Amino acid sequence: MSLLLKGLIVGFCLAAPVGPIAALCVQRTIAKRWISGLVSGLGAAVADAVYGAVAAFGATMISEFLISERTWMQRMGGVILIFMGLRLFLTKPVEKEEAIDGKGLTGDFLSTFLLTLTNPMTFVAFAAVFTTMGIGAVRGHSILTAELVGGVFLGSALWWMILCGGAHALRRHCDYRKLAVINRGTGVFVIGVGLVYLLLTS
């Protein structure tokens, strides 16, 4: 099995579990447009690729920093999630698709990129999976590592395309009341995850 395919499988599987990023992507796809949800997912995919590269290259200083400072990073992510959840909960939906400009898409991308980076357990997951699959042997081989990391990005991006595509297909069945429920439900979920990040980190 090629490293590109291995990376694709790893990226897809680690992106797939439902969490706050998935909830945000679905909400943005339904409340705004498909491109907004997809760009949000790509922000997470790029962050996955960054952590995958650190794990594959075996950057000791960076990995030690991520492990030793994981508590405050997760708490910072928790604070961001709580603010985003409150904003979602209070946002009034629009029944028609919103016009999305470059600034809006940039914000969508950066929000999920930063949220993913503030969870260093993503790096731990990549390191564990790479070790289990025996992928650590590519360290020191830049071309092979780039192939692996490229696979991680493509796998993660593939999941977000599937998720946002499914959410977009459901949008036609959503009226104003349902959109309001989606906004509030997503907001409560995101706030809950943020509180977990804040209270249960040690």
Side-chain angles (χ1 to χ4, degrees):
M1 187 183 300
S2 71
L3 284 174
L4 180 67
L5 182 56
K6 285 184 177 181
L8 191 149
I9 293 172
V10 171
F12 185 91
C13 292
L14 291 183
V18 176
I21 303 298
L24 287 171
C25 289
V26 169
Q27 186 275 334
R28 288 172 179 174
T29 299
I30 294 176
K32 297 180 181 180
R33 296 177 65 185
W34 175 76
I35 189 64
S36 180
L38 178 60
V39 168
S40 298
L42 291 179
V46 171
D48 283 342
V50 169
Y51 274 141
V54 174
F57 276 107
T60 304
M61 288 183 62
I62 298 177
S63 61
E64 288 179 352
F65 171 81
L66 292 173
I67 299 300
S68 63
E69 305 297 333
R70 66 183 182 276
T71 298
W72 73 262
M73 290 180 68
Q74 288 184 345
R75 286 177 177 166
M76 182 174 65
V79 171
I80 296 173
L81 283 172
I82 290 172
F83 277 108
M84 292 184 68
L86 287 171
R87 182 181 177 185
L88 275 175
F89 188 85
L90 298 173
T91 296
K92 294 182 179 180
V94 292
E95 294 189 79
K96 294 182 179 180
E97 290 187 344
E98 292 183 357
I100 306 297
D101 57 17
K103 184 178 179 181
L105 291 177
T106 300
D108 291 336
F109 178 91
L110 289 177
S111 62
T112 52
F113 176 75
L114 292 175
L115 278 174
T116 305
L117 282 185
T118 56
N119 184 9
M121 294 310 294
T122 303
F123 161 75
V124 175
F126 274 110
V129 172
F130 285 174
T131 300
T132 302
M133 296 180 70
I135 299 179
V138 304
R139 294 173 180 172
H141 302 275
S142 299
I143 295 178
L144 295 178
T145 303
E147 182 181 352
L148 174 65
V149 174
V152 167
F153 171 78
L154 291 176
S156 182
L158 176 62
W159 162 250
W160 297 118
M161 288 181 65
I162 294 172
L163 180 69
C164 294
H168 182 70
L170 295 174
R171 191 188 194 281
R172 69 184 68 177
H173 303 292
C174 294
D175 55 20
Y176 182 88
R177 186 171 60 85
K178 291 178 181 177
L179 286 173
V181 171
I182 290 172
N183 278 3
R184 290 172 184 169
T186 305
V188 170
F189 176 72
V190 171
I191 290 171
V193 175
L195 289 173
V196 170
Y197 274 33
L198 278 176
L199 301 177
L200 297 186
T201 51
S202 59

